[in-house]
Amino acid sequence: MIDFAAPWVILLLPLPWIVQRLLPPRRAGGASLLLPDRIGRNFLRGAKSGPAEARSLARHALWAVWVLGLLALSGPRDLAPVSALKVSGRDLAIALDLSGSMVRDDFDLDGEQITRLEAVKHVGAEFARGRGGDRVALIVFGSEAYYASPFTFDVEAVARRIEEAAIGISGRATNISDGLGLALKRMQSSQAATRVVILLSDGANNAGAANPRGVAELAASLGIRVHTIALGPKDLETAEEGERGVVDAATLRAIAQISGGESFRVRTTEDLAAVAEALDRLEATDSDGLAAELYRDYWIWPAMAAGLILAGLAWRQEA
């Protein structure tokens, strides 16, 4: 059903008639206009012999232009028959570790050795694409933490940012505290009904002044759940002393427990895919939230018709 974006514009319809009735008639004055003899004779001949029907037609054409112009300005439209995006009412931040250890190629995908980062890109991007209805943001951290993508419903844009992630952009150390802290800072003023952080790391916190457990307590006080993913074949609890490239699974597990989230241990790409499925179940997006309304506009048609009438009047005056 067609409605109007600005229906009050139609109230201006009688304005020319009102102005014509209220204003006094305009009297011509001043010096005469000098024209060449031939043009002047033709002009006077046309003024004397011009048919009344032509003048009436011109008046009606100008009224039609006025009506069509007002119709265009009123914004005729109808609701477009498109599937509206359901809004879940959830803000979800993905905090991704981009420290130097993410270049280790100790993961297997389809029979090929790949780096930890490539595994995360493959599974993480698909996870982000499945978050339709959520507002999703991306934080990357190494020695420092950076806001790689703001909160947005455009989950495809976030997925592309994950696929474009590169080691070294945020330093090569592992600053879990700042990565989680930046996510909390961005969520602090959020009015979303549910706020969730997914924190993925393959190392131990070795940069920054804050304690990861203390940041987890802040998340709990703000009502923000943190799900953690400990990535890598070995962790501090089972690795030999001094071994490099191991993940502090105990700290990540504590962060999840303190904040009310879940912790996951990932050693293979199959584990990582299973985690994405588990998170989908934990943070399901189906909701009866607000739906977007998209309109199809029709103002262009009356505007084009008015333009054609004006062009016809101009051509008639030239003829």
Side-chain angles (χ1 to χ4, degrees):
M1 181 178 178
I2 293 181
D3 66 354
F4 298 89
W8 57 267
V9 173
I10 303 299
L11 298 176
L12 299 176
L13 186 63
L15 184 61
W17 182 85
I18 295 173
V19 170
Q20 187 179 12
R21 290 296 182 272
L22 294 181
L23 293 181
R26 182 179 178 185
R27 297 178 179 273
S32 301
L33 178 65
L34 299 179
L35 296 172
D37 291 341
R38 188 170 63 86
I39 297 178
R41 285 194 299 271
N42 291 337
F43 181 80
L44 292 174
R45 190 185 306 116
K48 292 177 181 177
S49 59
E53 291 82 2
R55 292 193 296 272
S56 176
L57 179 62
R59 285 197 301 270
H60 284 88
L62 290 175
W63 267 105
V65 169
W66 175 252
V67 172
L68 290 169
L70 290 181
L71 183 59
L73 289 173
S74 67
R77 62 185 185 175
D78 69 352
L79 194 63
V82 296
S83 299
L85 173 67
K86 293 293 183 179
V87 179
S88 70
R90 173 172 46 243
D91 280 355
L92 188 148
I94 301 173
L96 180 60
D97 186 347
L98 290 184
S99 59
S101 56
M102 290 290 283
V103 299
R104 291 178 177 268
D105 56 350
D106 48 12
F107 271 69
D108 181 272
L109 179 64
D110 298 330
E112 294 184 7
Q113 286 291 113
I114 61 172
T115 65
R116 299 176 181 181
L117 180 60
E118 288 171 331
V120 170
K121 285 183 179 182
H122 177 75
V123 177
E126 291 307 311
F127 172 77
R129 288 188 174 95
R131 308 314 305 170
D134 290 349
R135 281 205 324 155
V136 183
L138 177 64
I139 291 94
V140 298
F141 63 93
S143 305
E144 306 289 341
Y146 296 96
Y147 203 36
S149 176
F151 280 102
T152 177
F153 290 110
D154 188 356
V155 294
E156 177 61 30
V158 178
R160 288 197 300 269
R161 285 299 183 96
I162 294 174
E163 291 171 338
E164 295 166 358
I167 302 298
I169 191 173
S170 54
R172 303 185 71 85
T174 304
N175 193 343
I176 294 174
S177 300
D178 281 7
L180 178 56
L182 182 58
L184 299 182
K185 181 179 180 181
R186 294 295 184 175
M187 283 186 161
Q188 192 168 3
S189 59
S190 169
Q191 300 300 314
T194 305
R195 296 173 294 172
V196 178
V197 177
I198 297 177
L199 172 65
L200 184 147
S201 178
D202 74 329
N205 190 73
N206 55 20
N211 185 296
R213 287 176 171 82
V215 182
E217 291 173 357
L218 175 61
S221 68
L222 294 173
I224 299 174
R225 288 196 306 273
V226 183
H227 301 308
T228 61
I229 302 172
L231 181 72
K234 295 184 178 181
D235 53 56
L236 288 178
E237 297 168 307
T238 59
E240 297 179 4
E241 186 176 353
E243 189 171 354
R244 300 174 63 85
V246 296
V247 62
D248 188 357
T251 295
L252 293 174
R253 187 163 55 248
I255 291 173
Q257 291 173 350
I258 292 171
S259 64
E262 297 287 336
S263 62
F264 302 92
R265 185 71 180 87
V266 172
R267 295 178 175 84
T268 66
T269 50
E270 289 76 13
D271 290 344
L272 193 56
V275 167
E277 293 176 2
L279 289 172
D280 275 333
R281 291 191 295 270
L282 284 171
E283 304 297 341
T285 56
D286 49 334
S287 169
D288 294 327
L290 297 175
E293 291 186 344
L294 301 178
Y295 286 93
R296 181 189 292 117
D297 294 315
Y298 295 111
W299 64 268
I300 186 64
W301 302 111
M304 288 177 61
L308 289 174
I309 294 174
L310 286 175
L313 288 174
W315 176 82
R316 185 175 178 276
Q317 292 296 325
E318 292 292 335

